[in-house]
Amino acid sequence: MAKFKISANVIKYIYSSILLVFCLTLILGVVFTEQTELSADVSPWLAFAVLIFAISWLTMVEGGQGAIVGLGPVNTELYKDTHPNSAKCT
């Protein structure tokens, strides 16, 4: 019988995935049963679309912020020719 070694990262990934599914189920259940102000006033599908748009926008803003912070200590000359827009922003 093969022995399986479960690392701490595997446990973290499984735990995080379970929490993600739980949170999504909880939030979508509240939206579609019209227990929020937005979904009670308008269609739950519109509330769902607004939620997805807001989360998408937030991920883009956070990703851009992470890129700017990550490029701060890097010498601009290294990527000036290959990534001119990034060089202008930093």
Side-chain angles (χ1 to χ4, degrees):
M1 186 165 139
K3 292 184 179 181
F4 294 105
K5 184 178 179 183
I6 298 177
S7 67
N9 284 338
V10 172
I11 293 171
K12 288 181 201 177
Y13 295 151
I14 292 171
Y15 181 69
S16 296
S17 298
I18 291 170
L19 285 178
L20 176 65
V21 169
F22 174 73
C23 290
L24 284 174
T25 304
L26 186 70
I27 290 170
L28 292 178
V30 167
V31 167
F32 283 108
T33 56
E34 299 181 0
Q35 295 181 22
T36 65
E37 286 186 35
L38 182 61
S39 63
D41 293 342
V42 297
S43 169
W45 287 104
L46 181 61
F48 176 70
V50 168
L51 177 69
I52 295 300
F53 173 76
I55 291 173
S56 300
W57 178 77
L58 180 64
T59 57
M60 286 188 286
V61 170
E62 289 291 329
Q65 181 183 5
I68 290 173
V69 170
L71 284 176
V74 177
N75 185 2
T76 310
E77 296 297 321
L78 294 174
Y79 57 89
K80 180 177 70 172
D81 296 329
T82 58
H83 299 86
N85 290 335
S86 297
K88 289 177 191 174
C89 295
T90 55

